[in-house]
Amino acid sequence: MRRSSIMRLWLVLILAFQLTSQLALAQRASTETSRERRPNILLILSDDCGHAEFSIQGHPRYKTPHIDSIGKNGVHFRQGYVSGCVCSPSRAGLLTGRYQQRFGHEFNIPPAYSETNGLPRSETLLPQLLKEVGYRTIALGKWHLGYAPQFHPMERGFTDYYGFLQGSRSYFPLKKPTRLNQMLRDRAAIPEEKFDYMTDHLADEAIAYIKQSQSQPWMIYLAFNATHSPNDATAADLKAADGNKIYAMTIALDRAVGKVLDALKECNLSKDTLVIFINDNGGAGGHDNGALHGKKGSTWEGGTRIPFLVQYPAKIPPGQVIDEPVIALDLFPTILEVAGVGDEELKKCQFDRQKLDGISLIPRMTGKTQRLVDRPLYWKSGKRWAIRHGNLKAVAGNEDQGDQAGLFDLFSDPYEQQDLSATHSQQLHQLEALYHQWESTLEKPRWGSSPGKKSGSGTDDRSTDNP
């Protein structure tokens, strides 16, 4: 009798526990349903494209309607910059929201396996924070931030990865890939014969992830290697470009971006997806930077000015053109604001927002403010450096300069042709003082510049990203 009573009591307790658990789950589900879903983030990065090689940037021949549509459906920042004049440092700044020289990532990572060369583990990357608040974080394409396992994208906050680790590789399948340029699905190497042309293939991969990820917000970092060397193009694109290989590669890039944008529409996600398109540095040799002075590897405008396009139909009015200078470092705080990642969540992640060097662009893009805050922008690659504050820019150390820094007014002289240093020496000294104050806060470079070049030279042309 007593045993029977005990058994009945246990049964009642179990049923009560199950009922309580079911009610808690139902309440949690109801809360999640009623809470506004965080928007998706699509960050598209092209590689080595010339500043002028897009029709939205004014190229008379290149037609890039799909890339152009991002700016037309949102904001075209006509004075957009990156924080580095070559590939790897620029990416390090983008994903940390900090000047990469602060943690010694000043030069391209040498194209050889190393257990130590990579974006320092002490730095917090944007996907780490988004992952903590429920995002699926997907990296696709070129990595170029370290080759050893501890630098792998999935060790730096990405939940998924498909791409290659090195700075460049063929756009076609390789018969004998190396461990640096082989294609990886997450951490495992995969057969290469499964794709035809890299640019289209990365777009197809992005589309597959978009369609898989309907139940949770996602961030996709889509890092095309287009249009970096080698100048590989399909026969059809070459024909459409009248044999111009760089234009043929650009046709493929625009097509790929269009396919991904179409997938957003198909999945009814366009309105609630922040889409960003930028390039990683100024155009490399052989590319078209328009009338800008310099190219990739320099701290002239041609080395750091990029196309900078943003759309987010749910919040950002279309058709805006903004001429105030912005930098890729601004994208980290911008994305945090769009994703609704507040101070309390950052505190749980032990992340200090004050460490960021950029500012959120959301108030400017939504019309809450009429102008961006006035702040200096800095560039450094070995002996080459520059600072812009307002319309004035001091620049020094480039190959076509002497030892003296030049001073230029980018409002009246955007192509840096009229050196004002002799007549405006006081303004130059003020900018130099600001630059050297910033420089004093930086960490020593963790590795030298390109193989075969003197450490600290900062020299980098198209060949230095190659195997």
Side-chain angles (χ1 to χ4, degrees), residues 183-352:
M183 298 302 297
L184 301 177
R185 169 78 66 192
D186 292 339
R187 293 182 176 85
I190 63 168
E192 296 229 343
E193 63 271 11
K194 292 187 177 180
F195 70 91
D196 294 321
Y197 185 70
M198 181 69 75
T199 307
D200 290 310
H201 184 51
L202 291 176
D204 292 339
E205 288 290 327
I207 292 166
Y209 280 112
I210 289 170
K211 292 182 176 180
Q212 291 169 15
S213 307
Q214 300 290 320
S215 61
Q216 69 179 120
W218 47 259
M219 170 199 176
I220 294 179
Y221 170 63
L222 178 52
F224 289 106
N225 54 319
T227 55
H228 193 294
S229 63
N231 292 346
D232 295 336
T234 67
D237 290 336
L238 273 172
K239 183 177 180 181
D242 296 328
N244 182 321
K245 288 187 176 181
I246 292 176
Y247 184 23
M249 297 162 75
T250 306
I251 289 172
L253 174 64
D254 187 68
R255 177 176 64 243
V257 170
K259 288 163 64 177
V260 177
L261 296 177
D262 286 345
L264 293 180
K265 293 176 185 176
E266 181 184 336
C267 296
N268 200 28
L269 296 174
S270 295
K271 180 180 178 181
D272 293 311
T273 299
L274 173 70
V275 179
I276 299 162
F277 179 89
I278 62 170
N279 194 52
D280 65 342
N281 44 247
H287 282 259
D288 190 350
N289 279 327
L292 294 182
H293 190 170
K295 62 180 180 179
K296 174 183 178 179
S298 78
T299 53
W300 296 112
E301 292 290 280
T304 58
R305 278 275 293 274
I306 56 159
F308 199 119
L309 312 174
V310 183
Q311 74 173 43
Y312 179 28
K315 301 287 185 181
I316 299 173
Q320 299 184 65
V321 176
I322 295 176
D323 282 323
E324 298 151 65
V326 294
I327 194 166
L329 304 177
D330 296 331
L331 295 177
F332 195 121
T334 298
I335 291 170
L336 288 184
E337 182 169 349
V338 168
V341 183
D343 290 337
E344 287 302 315
E345 289 170 312
L346 294 178
K347 192 179 297 183
K348 290 178 183 177
C349 298
Q350 298 182 322
F351 182 80
D352 181 5

Side-chain angles (χ1 to χ4, degrees), residues 31-244:
T31 301
E32 292 293 332
T33 301
S34 60
R35 182 189 301 163
E36 183 180 358
R37 172 178 161 153
R38 298 180 195 264
N40 303 309
I41 312 294
L42 174 59
L43 176 52
I44 305 172
L45 184 65
S46 59
D47 194 352
D48 274 14
C49 298
H51 180 266
E53 289 172 344
F54 305 90
S55 41
I56 197 170
Q57 299 287 102
H59 198 284
R61 181 184 177 197
Y62 286 24
K63 303 301 179 186
T64 52
H66 302 106
I67 293 170
D68 296 357
S69 74
I70 300 170
K72 292 176 180 177
N73 292 331
V75 183
H76 178 197
F77 288 99
R78 292 199 295 197
Q79 296 193 61
Y81 293 93
V82 280
S83 61
C85 58
V86 293
C87 300
S88 184
S90 174
R91 292 156 200 269
L94 171 64
L95 290 177
T96 61
R98 284 160 45 81
Y99 284 107
Q100 60 277 2
Q101 299 91 346
R102 294 197 186 280
F103 44 89
H105 201 126
E106 187 164 331
F107 304 119
N108 267 339
I109 296 174
Y113 184 86
S114 168
E115 289 287 344
T116 57
N117 291 345
L119 201 166
R121 296 275 307 178
S122 57
E123 294 299 311
T124 300
L125 274 60
L126 175 63
Q128 292 174 258
L129 300 177
L130 295 179
K131 180 181 175 182
E132 287 294 321
V133 298
Y135 274 79
R136 186 178 185 182
T137 52
I138 302 152
L140 298 171
K142 172 174 168 175
W143 181 237
H144 207 194
L145 293 171
Y147 309 129
Q150 65 267 28
F151 301 122
H152 188 279
M154 294 178 71
E155 295 296 323
R156 309 311 304 271
F158 286 103
T159 58
D160 305 82
Y161 178 59
Y162 182 79
F164 58 95
L165 302 178
Q166 197 161 265
S168 68
R169 57 151 285 155
S170 173
Y171 290 70
F172 301 109
L174 294 168
K175 292 181 179 179
K176 294 183 179 180
T178 69
R179 64 175 170 172
L180 301 190
N181 64 23
Q182 65 188 351
M183 298 302 297
L184 301 177
R185 169 78 66 192
D186 292 339
R187 293 182 176 85
I190 63 168
E192 296 229 343
E193 63 271 11
K194 292 187 177 180
F195 70 91
D196 294 321
Y197 185 70
M198 181 69 75
T199 307
D200 290 310
H201 184 51
L202 291 176
D204 292 339
E205 288 290 327
I207 292 166
Y209 280 112
I210 289 170
K211 292 182 176 180
Q212 291 169 15
S213 307
Q214 300 290 320
S215 61
Q216 69 179 120
W218 47 259
M219 170 199 176
I220 294 179
Y221 170 63
L222 178 52
F224 289 106
N225 54 319
T227 55
H228 193 294
S229 63
N231 292 346
D232 295 336
T234 67
D237 290 336
L238 273 172
K239 183 177 180 181
D242 296 328
N244 182 321

